Amino acid sequence: MDIALITNVAANAVIGASMLILWQRNPTQKFTAALAFSCFAQLVASAAYVAVRSTHPLIANAGVFLVSLASSAYLSLMISGVRYLSGYQDGLGRVFALFFGISAINLISLNIVSPLVAQGIFAASLTAVGVLSLYWLWKIERDVFGPRRFVGIFVLLLGLNQFTYVLLGDAGVAQQASVGTVLRIALALAVFGSAVQLITDEAKRLQHRFERLSEVSAQGIVILQSDAVVYANPASLTIYGVKAPQTMALSTLVSSVPKDERSEVTNRIERIRSGQSDGATFEALRFKANGEPIWLRFQYFRSEWDGDPAIQILISDETERHETARALELKTRQDELTGLPNRSVLISMLDQRCKSAETVQFSVILLDIDRFKSFNESHGYMLGDSVLKALATALRKVVEERHSVMRLGEDEFAIVSAVGCAHDEAQGIAEQISVLLSRSLSVGNSEYFLDCSMGISLFPDDATDPNSLLRAADAAQDSAKNAPGTTYRFAHPQSLSNGAAFEQEQALRAGFTRSEFKLYYQPKVDSHTSELKSFEALARWDRPGYGMVSPLEFIAVAERIGMIGVLGTEFLKQACTQINLWRAQHGRCVPVAVNVSPLQMLDVNFPNVVEGILKDYAVPPEFLTLEITESSAVQNLESTIQQVKQLQRMGVFVAMDDFGTGFSSLNMLRTLPLHTIKIDKGLIDPLPQADAVEVVRAICTLAAALKLHVVAEGVETQAQAIAARDAGCGELQGYLFSRPLVPNDANAWLHT
Ligand code: C2E
Ligand code: MG
Ligand code: MG
């Protein structure tokens, strides 16, 4: 019997301890704790039973008391354990209430009735607990042979086993203890089975929840294990453009990475796998299975899969956000109309270039279309936009790719040369653009001629900071604007130091002695028949190293240094030589108009000079016309009247140039014996706008009343030509018919 009791105690100790360890491993399984303590309570009860049998009444009574308390604890802990296992959450309060209740019943029945009856009540209680347990656990267990059902059965059997003592008395103690030990071991096994089953169920539930979440997630989830993809959710297949899950392999991921990045990605995975790094978060360009580029955001971290270490990769497709951001960035850096980089790109480029130690030299060319405002007003903004687009395309084509072409707004463009290019390259670019603009620009079905003014500044010669570079180019552009036609100017003449001005004057004097000054001839045609009526002689200075210098620039210098007289005489002589040449070659000639500086007109001797030249060259005076500007005539009206009268007497015609830009009065027109008035380009540009037509018509009516011929200057389009003709201009001059030509090219006009 003692062996049976000792075995019972030992079994309870081992089972209780095992269950405690189980509880410690998984504290959520509270039933293991309750049942472990129930084992210890049972252990105490069994041990106390030894005292019950003592001959000493005090020890025996204490033993009975202890057995009673331990049994009550055992019963209440057993109920709690089973309740926890059945899914109820009772809390400690209830356990204690149960314990005190059962203890009270036990003690009362022990002391008032008899130990046997008390044992009977206890056996009945434990059996009742067994029945309830079986009921609760049967309900909750899905499997027919689920471990929890066995827990219920063994608790019931343990209850029934208590009746052994009730029925057999002390003779049944050993049997009850032995059967109890077996049942307890069986119960322990069922409890362990339940614990394992609950853990497996929980793991399955979590796995299921993960799968449900990852199946519907828009984020790609890929699990890598030992160089293989062990899981890839549908979103990851969509992101990589893979149709079947089985084709989602490590090679798919590798081939999506740009070649030069592959080794870096492999290293990163290796570092995470080996524990050198916890994980990584980054955004990168990848390629779908069909080669389409995508921007992905990755989160790599170490995890486990089916109990083994793995790398989990979360992937989100950021392509749309990336594209939007790129489009936005592009928008802030791109001119919407032409697609060229805009002003902010220019500023940041200049800023960066000026700060960089690697920048040796470069140039900035600012380009602006002449009279584009008038173009817009006369042709409408839609066509204006198309012209700007066409110009942008043409510039991009003609300017080498290593230089940057930008649009700064309205009709302003900028060209920044590649680093290392300075004066000569900038001049080359400007020349290329001049050649481009000497041809017409096709827009839709029409052709347009554009003139541009370009200002060039050089880094570091002109300036070393962006603002000053732009200011210098801008000032140079202003100077270019003074010259008609497409022109470019370098920044330095603008900010001519005394030394530079002196150098220019010297060059002009030297140029004169070296015969660098030539006349170009621009035809004036009959507005009705387009036949050649006359030529205008326009001066050019072929300055070595500078190209063709505009008369607008050097005439002013000649005037300043008092050379205009000799230069003007030289031009008159050249024109007469040419007239003679043409007369000899073609047997005919048309009048040639030579421009006269206001300073020449101030010279009282001027008409005599003209007369002398005509005589010397034997040119009949009707072949020579002199063009004086309206403003000079207004400023020196008295002397001009005298001079013009004298010239008229000699038979030389005088034309008033740039009419409409000065302030000539009707009276002046009447008193000046003019032959022709040339309506300034500024008044012709806006044709065929109705109000502009009316102004030209009014001038023509006035001219007709004063018996003056009318020439329209700067006619560039057919529409302007028709409007000028219909308004009453007898002759037309402008790029529409011809640019100023070298004498050889002008010959062709005399053939017709
Ligand atoms: P200007 O006498 O009014 O000459 C007309 C200017 O307009 C010329 O510029 C001519 O090339 C340009 N032009 C002609 N048709 C068109 C056109 O359709 N569109 C545009 N945009 N421009 C056109 P250039 O040859 O540069 O002469 C500029 C000015 O320099 C002349 O204006 C004249 O005032 C002065 N100039 C030219 N040659 C001489 C000269 O021998 N002596 C003097 N004193 N001044 C001269
Ligand atoms: Mg002129
Ligand atoms: Mg003019």
Side-chain angles (χ1 to χ4, degrees):
M1 183 202 71
D2 285 347
I3 290 175
L5 268 182
I6 290 166
T7 318
N8 186 291
V9 167
N12 272 317
V14 172
I15 295 167
S18 320
M19 282 188 187
L20 267 190
I21 292 169
L22 205 64
W23 177 58
Q24 197 202 12
R25 297 299 295 268
N26 189 353
T28 58
Q29 295 188 331
K30 288 184 183 159
F31 64 92
T32 49
L35 292 175
F37 287 115
S38 83
C39 286
F40 295 138
Q42 176 62 25
L43 178 155
V44 172
S46 297
Y49 189 73
V50 179
V52 172
R53 284 188 300 161
S54 163
T55 48
H56 196 291
L58 205 65
I59 297 175
N61 279 341
V64 169
F65 184 70
L66 199 59
V67 167
S68 170
L69 282 189
S71 305
S72 305
Y74 164 68
L75 199 59
S76 42
L77 285 165
M78 181 70 88
I79 296 173
S80 304
V82 170
R83 294 265 302 168
Y84 279 132
L85 188 57
S86 312
Y88 299 100
Q89 301 289 331
D90 284 339
L92 271 182
R94 248 190 221 189
V95 179
F96 279 114
L98 214 57
F99 168 71
F100 289 122
I102 296 169
S103 302
I105 295 170
N106 256 348
L107 288 174
I108 291 167
S109 52
L110 250 178
N111 292 309
I112 297 179
V113 197
S114 75
L116 199 67
V117 172
Q119 177 65 28
I121 292 173
F122 179 73
S125 308
L126 192 55
T127 309
V129 167
V131 172
L132 276 174
S133 303
L134 195 57
Y135 169 70
W136 287 329
L137 294 168
W138 203 271
K139 246 190 348 182
I140 202 161
E141 183 61 77
R142 289 184 315 274
D143 297 345
V144 184
F145 297 110
R148 276 177 291 183
R149 287 189 175 175
F150 285 100
V151 172
I153 291 169
F154 292 130
V155 173
L156 179 60
L157 289 177
L158 273 171
L160 291 173
N161 186 43
Q162 291 294 326
F163 283 106
T164 315
Y165 178 78
V166 179
L167 296 176
L168 302 180
D170 278 345
V173 169
Q175 188 190 331
Q176 183 178 316
S178 308
V179 174
T181 305
V182 173
L183 287 175
R184 202 153 296 282
I185 292 170
L187 174 67
L189 289 176
V191 169
F192 290 145
S194 301
V196 170
Q197 191 201 37
L198 287 178
I199 288 171
T200 320
D201 282 357
E202 178 67 8
K204 270 194 195 147
R205 212 165 53 78
L206 288 177
Q207 170 92 2
H208 185 64
R209 191 193 287 169
F210 168 78
E211 279 173 6
R212 282 283 307 275
L213 273 174
S214 68
E215 295 298 289
V216 297
S217 164
Q219 198 172 41
I221 301 170
V222 173
I223 313 277
L224 284 184
Q225 207 169 42
S226 317
D227 288 342
V229 172
V230 287
Y231 175 78
N233 73 340
S236 68
L237 305 185
T238 314
I239 289 172
Y240 283 102
V242 174
K243 288 207 174 68
Q246 57 274 18
T247 49
M248 183 71 167
L250 190 65
S251 58
T252 319
L253 299 183
V254 172
S255 58
S256 76
V257 181
K259 281 198 180 76
D260 52 348
E261 235 185 274
R262 285 185 191 165
S263 64
E264 193 191 318
V265 171
T266 321
N267 289 344
R268 182 177 291 145
I269 292 177
E270 207 35 62
R271 276 202 306 278
I272 298 172
R273 185 176 290 152
S274 65
Q276 280 172 276
S277 143
D278 284 341
T281 302
F282 60 96
E283 205 170 298
L285 171 72
R286 294 290 180 261
F287 295 94
K288 279 188 168 203
N290 63 4
E292 190 187 319
I294 38 172
W295 278 93
L296 302 181
R297 185 176 169 72
F298 294 98
Q299 263 178 286
Y300 279 63
F301 49 87
R302 222 164 342 125
S303 112
E304 61 85 42
W305 187 258
D306 287 345
D308 289 316
I311 292 178
Q312 183 163 341
I313 310 172
L314 300 184
I315 310 157
S316 27
D317 189 346
E318 301 289 328
T319 311
E320 209 169 302
R321 185 185 58 76
H322 209 270
E323 302 275 283
T324 319
R326 239 171 61 94
L328 238 139
E329 200 211 54
L330 212 66
K331 221 173 168 179
T332 59
R333 297 172 59 80
Q334 196 181 49
D335 170 51
E336 222 169 307
L337 179 69
T338 60
L340 291 177
N342 61 15
R343 184 182 287 274
S344 74
V345 177
L346 171 74
I347 302 295
S348 54
M349 183 186 264
L350 293 184
D351 210 39
Q352 187 224 320
R353 290 253 183 113
C354 291
K355 280 181 190 150
S356 165
E358 283 162 32
T359 310
V360 194
Q361 50 181 16
F362 71 94
S363 54
V364 180
I365 305 176
L366 291 184
L367 181 152
D368 181 300
I369 305 175
D370 294 349
R371 301 169 307 283
F372 192 66
K373 192 169 175 285
S374 318
F375 184 94
N376 268 337
E377 282 165 6
S378 52
H379 295 91
Y381 286 88
M382 291 261 280
L383 186 60
D385 282 355
S386 307
V387 166
L388 288 173
K389 270 201 250 180
L391 178 62
T393 314
L395 285 175
R396 203 44 289 186
K397 254 190 211 154
V398 83
V399 175
E400 278 179 56
E401 214 159 308
R402 63 200 175 108
H403 310 304
S404 310
V405 180
M406 302 152 195
R407 179 175 173 234
L408 311 185
E410 301 191 1
D411 58 339
E412 271 185 90
F413 291 82
I415 295 120
V416 179
S417 78
V419 173
C421 301
H423 186 283
D424 289 354
E425 284 89 347
Q427 187 163 15
I429 298 172
E431 291 284 358
Q432 277 172 329
I433 295 173
S434 303
V435 171
L436 166 81
L437 295 175
S438 67
R439 296 188 291 267
S440 60
L441 206 65
S442 303
V443 179
N445 294 327
S446 310
E447 303 283 317
Y448 296 93
F449 282 96
L450 294 183
D451 281 329
C452 289
S453 302
M454 290 174 267
I456 307 169
S457 62
L458 306 174
F459 175 96
D461 303 358
D462 298 324
T464 50
D465 68 281
N467 264 342
S468 311
L469 269 173
L470 289 175
R471 264 209 311 274
D474 203 46
Q477 190 187 48
D478 279 349
S479 130
K481 274 218 175 295
N482 291 330
T486 295
T487 338
Y488 60 86
R489 291 284 178 275
F490 278 91
H492 53 271
Q494 188 57 32
S495 51
L496 276 185
S497 59
N498 287 341
F502 178 74
E503 193 258 325
Q504 194 187 41
E505 291 161 13
Q506 293 299 311
L508 192 128
R509 287 182 212 277
F512 181 69
T513 56
R514 286 199 295 257
S515 308
E516 288 167 6
F517 295 89
K518 297 271 159 6
L519 287 179
Y520 276 44
Y521 296 87
Q522 187 177 30
K524 297 181 229 170
V525 303
D526 186 290
S527 65
H528 292 275
T529 63
S530 294
E531 269 174 33
L532 175 72
K533 295 292 283 183
S534 55
F535 282 119
E536 177 176 7
L538 292 158
R540 297 286 180 267
W541 177 15
D542 191 2
R543 187 176 172 190
Y546 283 76
M548 286 298 174
V549 182
S550 161
L552 291 168
E553 205 173 299
F554 68 80
I555 294 288
V557 180
E559 285 173 342
R560 192 171 69 229
I561 61 173
M563 268 195 67
I564 192 65
V566 282
L567 202 58
T569 306
E570 164 65 18
F571 291 142
L572 280 170
K573 288 180 181 168
Q574 278 191 24
C576 288
T577 311
Q578 192 59 52
I579 291 168
N580 282 338
L581 210 63
W582 277 329
R583 288 177 71 196
Q585 280 174 351
H586 304 280
R588 68 175 278 240
C589 190
V590 289
V592 173
V594 175
N595 290 281
V596 175
S597 154
L599 290 185
Q600 286 173 274
M601 287 297 282
L602 278 180
D603 179 0
V604 285
N605 201 31
F606 179 66
N608 300 330
V609 173
V610 176
E611 195 172 27
I613 293 170
L614 287 176
K615 214 181 256 168
D616 290 351
Y617 286 80
V619 170
E622 64 269 25
F623 284 113
L624 185 70
T625 305
L626 298 178
E627 291 190 10
I628 58 167
T629 55
E630 183 189 26
S631 46
S632 71
V634 173
Q635 277 163 22
N636 313 291
L637 189 55
E638 271 316 302
S639 61
T640 306
I641 292 175
Q642 297 312 318
Q643 305 275 43
V644 174
K645 276 189 177 158
Q646 200 180 334
L647 289 164
Q648 189 209 27
R649 278 199 295 275
M650 286 158 38
V652 173
F653 295 140
V654 177
M656 182 176 281
D657 206 352
D658 303 341
F659 185 79
T661 54
F663 297 94
S664 45
S665 65
L666 293 178
N667 189 42
M668 185 192 90
L669 278 185
R670 199 181 54 78
T671 46
L672 262 181
L674 297 168
H675 178 265
T676 300
I677 54 174
K678 297 185 74 182
I679 304 179
D680 188 71
K681 186 173 188 315
L683 293 177
I684 301 301
D685 275 338
L687 295 181
Q689 274 175 46
D691 50 351
V693 168
E694 283 318 311
V695 172
V696 174
R697 194 192 305 283
I699 295 172
C700 292
T701 310
L702 178 72
L706 296 170
K707 302 207 171 30
L708 296 173
H709 291 79
V710 180
V711 178
E713 279 190 309
V715 178
E716 292 180 345
T717 67
Q718 199 64 47
Q720 288 172 343
I722 293 167
R725 179 197 67 196
D726 294 348
C729 300
E731 286 178 37
L732 308 175
Q733 178 186 359
Y735 294 170
L736 177 65
F737 307 101
S738 171
R739 288 184 173 252
L741 304 167
V742 291
N744 267 348
D745 292 343
N747 276 339
W749 279 86
L750 285 164
H751 286 308
T752 54

